[in-house]
Structure formats: C-alpha cells, structure tokens
Amino acid sequence: MNRMFRRYHRQIAIILCLPLFLTVLTGMGYTIAHEVLHQDELGEFLLGLHTLEIIHLEKIYPILNGLGLVGLLITGVTMTGLFRQRAS
C-alpha cells in the first residue's frame, strides 16, 4: 500500500510541478510589482498569468491546482505513517 502511495505521490508531483511553480512565482511577483514597485500594469499582467485568465482557464485552474495539492497532501500524510494503528 505504501509503495502505491509513493508512486501516486511521485506522479502527482511531476504533473503539478510547473503549475504550482507558476502560481507561486506569479503570486510573489504580483505582490512585489503592485505593492513595492507600484507597477500596476505589470501587476495586472502577472495576476492574469497567476489565474491563467490570459488563456481563459481562470475558472478551472484554481480547482485543478487545489485537487492536485489535496492529492499530494493525502499521499504524503499517508506515507508518514501518522495514522497507522500500532500494535499494543
């Protein structure tokens, strides 16, 4: 069972690497551009990239990211063994 979760965890991590990296970088970039540098035009572009609004995926992209993260959390926590029953 643990081997199966490792395989799923690895596959999900590979699939989500690019979308999560994009989300993190554009989220940080938006904050820096908008709040620190006061570059509103750059901030709006980064926000559009952050939600993938520029290719009209703003409705489904957050859901897919969220489902992927939930999958990573479930497989990761399961592999830690925190919820295994211990023999008394």
Side-chain angles (χ1 to χ4, degrees):
M1 181 84 142
N2 203 10
R3 180 174 281 163
M4 182 180 67
F5 277 112
R6 276 199 182 109
R7 187 180 62 190
Y8 289 146
H9 189 80
R10 188 179 311 117
Q11 290 171 348
I12 294 170
I14 290 169
I15 292 167
L16 284 178
C17 183
L18 185 61
L20 289 178
F21 192 64
L22 176 70
T23 300
V24 169
L25 283 181
T26 55
M28 290 177 3
Y30 170 77
T31 303
I32 292 168
H34 186 70
E35 300 295 331
V36 177
L37 302 175
H38 305 289
Q39 298 291 319
D40 293 333
E41 196 171 303
L42 177 60
E44 291 301 317
F45 171 74
L46 288 172
L47 190 58
L49 193 57
H50 182 72
T51 60
L52 284 187
E53 183 180 0
I54 60 174
I55 56 174
H56 306 292
L57 290 177
E58 66 273 6
K59 289 181 173 48
I60 195 165
Y61 184 65
I63 294 170
L64 293 176
N65 261 349
L67 287 174
L69 283 173
V70 167
L72 282 175
L73 286 171
I74 290 171
T75 56
V77 168
T78 302
M79 287 188 302
T80 65
L82 288 174
F83 299 109
R84 280 192 207 134
Q85 297 209 355
R86 302 187 197 277
S88 299

